[in-house]
Amino acid sequence: MKPVTRRRVLIGLGSGAGLLVVGVPLALNAGRPAIVEYIEENGTGPQDAPRNPDLWFEVTPAGVTFFVPKVEMGQGIHTALAQIAAEELEVTPEQLTVRQADTARGYAGGTMFTFGSTSVKALYRPLREAAATLRELLREEAARQLGVPAARLTAAGGSFFVAGSRERLGYAQVVAGKQGEWVIPEAAPTLKARRDFKRIGRAMPRTDFRDKVLGTATYGYDARLPGMLFGAVARPPRFGARLVSASAGAAGRQPGVVRVVIDLKAGFAGVAAQTRTQARAALSSLELRWEGGTTASTADLDAQIQAGSGSVLRRRGNVRAALSGGRWYRASTARRWPRTRTWNRWRRWRT
């Protein structure tokens, strides 16, 4: 992983009255380009995965906002990355607002996927360097405003102060008092020693917990824009089935329907309406004909299991068939689970 250099930070530096926005392009390490290439070759995920996702920090009078370039899917990645950022920024969790990166700050759609426990491993070092660079950028300006050498300033709790003095400048005050252009310090920032960690490696409240509990968290499903329509797409009734003919039928006359979209070449049929419910309801009025696809059903697989064909179960992992009494399942489970209390409880439940 390339270090965060002065030149690279300047690429993403922006400022305004009482506002400081710093973006840091990240160079991917040896492992991550291989992941991107795998995804591109195998068609899993976006085909235009960029190789330089960004980290963004925004300092305003309200505090520091960290735009996270990874998706929170319940695994706590926003919290983990926030701990890393707060550690080097010398702010408390309450002073750091965590937001999902968007098209204005740090969006990198092709690399926002979350899998393989790679987020912390890949971002740990560059995120610390980016946060430390922002900290030192603010320190230099705070030193100028206070009229003291930067080395005399201590950063803690989102503020700078001189030991033994009551004078203190918060990060927002530093930004508000800035005159002229921001200049990134020439020297690379010094990262904190592990023995000095206050956030990393310690329990911290989930950054997304409160909003999710109170129902105020916003998801893509909740998005609303002026004049927005809702779409519903016709899906094949069988796996592998192909759309061979389609017409609007009565769908175009259904309440709220704005347009029926049919593209036989692409195998697509859908409806756009004023509400999600109207769009879905209109789908049943489309006249569609599907051909091909598998005709096997769960019932067919169950029948094969009952007839003693254990290979189907091994190949497809059909849970319903397994619980219906497949011989292979009972035998293999008995081999895996010795006849202990757990095994006996499972047997009592089955009978």
Side-chain angles (χ1 to χ4, degrees):
M1 178 72 68
K2 293 181 180 180
V4 176
T5 63
R6 179 176 182 273
R7 179 180 178 184
R8 295 179 65 227
V9 175
L10 280 172
I11 295 174
L13 181 65
S15 62
L19 170 68
L20 172 63
V21 180
V22 175
V24 182
L26 301 176
L28 299 177
N29 62 22
R32 297 184 70 196
I35 294 175
V36 173
E37 290 172 5
Y38 175 85
I39 290 172
E40 291 175 345
E41 292 172 0
N42 292 273
T44 305
Q47 299 301 306
D48 57 347
R51 296 167 187 268
N52 58 335
D54 291 340
L55 292 172
W56 285 86
F57 292 98
E58 184 174 282
V59 184
T60 68
V64 182
T65 301
F66 170 38
F67 292 86
V68 185
K70 286 294 182 180
V71 176
E72 174 62 72
M73 298 181 66
Q75 82 282 36
I77 199 60
H78 280 197
T79 304
L81 295 178
Q83 286 179 265
I84 299 170
E87 186 70 73
E88 293 294 346
L89 275 176
E90 291 291 2
V91 297
T92 66
E94 295 75 23
Q95 294 172 317
L96 185 65
T97 301
V98 181
R99 293 282 181 266
Q100 177 67 58
D102 54 29
T103 53
R105 297 282 186 271
Y107 179 77
T111 54
M112 280 187 175
F113 46 74
T114 300
F115 71 93
S117 301
T118 60
S119 297
V120 170
K121 181 179 178 181
L123 297 182
Y124 179 74
R125 178 77 182 191
L127 176 52
R128 290 184 63 196
E129 291 175 344
T133 298
L134 175 57
R135 181 194 69 220
E136 295 309 307
L137 173 69
L138 292 169
R139 186 194 301 273
E140 291 288 340
E141 176 58 23
R144 187 194 67 79
Q145 294 180 22
L146 291 173
V148 298
R152 291 188 59 195
L153 291 181
T154 299
S159 299
F160 292 103
F161 63 91
V162 179
S165 171
R166 293 185 177 182
E167 196 166 16
R168 178 182 294 259
L169 276 182
Y171 292 174
Q173 293 175 291
V174 175
V175 174
K178 172 64 179 175
Q179 296 179 358
E181 296 293 327
W182 289 90
V183 178
I184 302 294
E186 291 285 352
T190 300
L191 301 183
K192 293 177 67 174
R194 183 174 180 176
R195 62 178 177 275
D196 297 327
F197 284 172
K198 301 184 184 71
R199 310 295 176 196
I200 296 175
R202 300 189 181 185
M204 172 179 165
R206 289 280 296 259
T207 61
D208 57 328
F209 188 71
R210 180 178 175 82
D211 287 347
K212 288 180 177 178
V213 170
L214 297 180
T216 58
T218 302
Y219 299 86
Y221 192 87
D222 304 318
R224 298 292 186 275
L225 294 172
M228 176 176 166
L229 297 178
F230 294 83
V233 178
R235 304 296 182 186
R238 300 174 302 280
F239 178 77
R242 183 171 57 91
L243 184 64
V244 294
S245 68
S247 64
R253 300 189 297 273
Q254 297 300 309
V257 173
V258 176
R259 185 177 177 184
V260 175
V261 181
I262 294 175
D263 185 348
L264 277 180
K265 190 173 182 180
F268 178 88
V271 177
Q274 294 176 350
T275 70
R276 184 178 286 110
T277 301
Q278 291 171 338
R280 290 174 176 171
L283 277 182
S284 60
S285 299
L286 293 176
E287 296 179 355
L288 309 175
R289 185 165 66 89
W290 304 85
E291 287 185 355
T294 181
T295 58
S297 66
T298 301
D300 296 331
L301 296 175
D302 287 348
Q304 293 183 51
I305 291 296
Q306 293 292 353
S309 177
S311 61
V312 176
L313 180 57
R314 293 190 186 93
R315 185 174 64 255
R316 299 186 181 276
N318 189 300
V319 175
R320 182 182 298 180
L323 294 180
S324 68
R327 299 172 188 171
W328 175 82
Y329 182 85
R330 290 203 305 270
S332 65
T333 304
R335 287 194 298 270
R336 290 199 307 271
W337 286 357
R339 295 185 183 278
T340 60
R341 182 180 303 173
T342 304
W343 166 257
N344 292 331
R345 283 177 181 171
W346 184 84
R347 288 297 300 165
R348 283 198 298 272
W349 171 78
R350 283 283 292 120
T351 56

